[in-house]
Amino acid sequence: MLSVPLSRIPQLAPLIRELPQETVVVDTSNYYPQRDGVIEGIEAGQAESLWVSEQLGRRVVKAWNMIGSHALSDKGLPAGDPDRLAVAVAGDERGRRVGMALVEDTGFDGFDAGSLEESWRQQPGTPAYGTELTSAQLPDALATADAARAPKRRDLSVAAIAERVGDGTTNPDSDYGTRLSRALFM
């Protein structure tokens, strides 16, 4: 599992390259240029996890990046529950199988989101990101993602959160991010 700011990936790459070639790295990270600095490949439209895979030289699966920590800790439900949230899993076939099984084990429906090249559909600024959707709702969110608009929406959400949190004394409730994401991304 890899859950770090993307700016730290080059520092981790030598360690990851020591792992067996067949290792599946699950990437939960997201690119925020305000935090990570500008990464030219991603700015040019490359999917974040495809860039990560190239940096690490390993198979990468994108999962859990589009759901918040509050949902991860409090909203897992048993399989079959109609309100169970879905988590998009993108990567090659073997990697998706591993990722989907892990997601299911954590109380969420694993949703096959296709190849790593398509993982941009679950990145910040897209309708799937941070909106806490079920398996019935997630396909439409992934299908309506707009690559050109996503970075603009991502940056708008960062500005809205920064304004709301302000001086560090005001913390929005745990559902604020979901409400904001639904308003801005859907």
Side-chain angles (χ1 to χ4, degrees):
M1 293 291 247
L2 183 67
S3 191
V4 298
L6 292 188
S7 61
R8 300 296 188 197
I9 297 294
Q11 293 169 315
L12 290 175
L15 297 172
I16 302 293
R17 286 190 193 112
E18 291 179 11
L19 298 172
Q21 188 64 35
E22 65 274 8
T23 300
V24 175
V25 177
V26 179
D27 178 23
T28 71
S29 305
N30 291 299
Y31 172 60
Y32 287 96
Q34 304 88 336
R35 174 194 67 201
D36 299 318
V38 173
I39 298 174
E40 293 301 329
I42 296 172
E43 290 291 328
Q46 184 177 34
E48 297 168 5
S49 288
L50 191 55
W51 180 86
V52 169
S53 179
E54 289 176 0
Q55 302 306 303
L56 299 179
R58 290 292 179 268
R59 171 185 317 204
V60 169
V61 175
K62 184 81 159 189
W64 286 296
N65 73 299
M66 39 77 75
I67 190 164
S69 59
H70 170 70
L72 284 172
S73 66
D74 296 344
K75 295 190 177 183
L77 295 171
D81 189 303
D83 295 325
R84 185 164 148 141
L85 299 178
V87 172
V89 180
D92 67 12
E93 186 176 340
R94 179 174 173 267
R96 283 194 314 268
R97 280 195 314 270
V98 169
M100 301 241 319
L102 290 170
V103 166
E104 295 283 336
D105 286 348
T106 62
F108 300 91
D109 287 334
F111 185 87
D112 187 335
S115 70
L116 203 56
E117 289 82 1
E118 290 295 309
S119 67
W120 66 268
R121 296 178 179 282
Q122 68 199 65
Q123 292 176 182
T126 65
Y129 184 81
T131 53
E132 296 185 4
L133 304 175
T134 65
S135 290
Q137 299 166 320
L138 189 53
D140 285 341
L142 292 169
T144 58
D146 184 330
R149 295 179 75 187
K152 295 172 192 164
R153 292 176 177 184
R154 173 202 64 212
D155 294 346
L156 184 59
S157 72
V158 168
I161 290 169
E163 180 183 71
R164 176 72 186 265
V165 174
D167 63 5
T169 63
T170 306
N171 287 318
D173 66 31
S174 60
D175 290 321
Y176 172 73
T178 302
R179 291 191 311 272
L180 179 65
S181 293
R182 287 180 176 179
L184 294 176
F185 305 157
M186 296 183 89

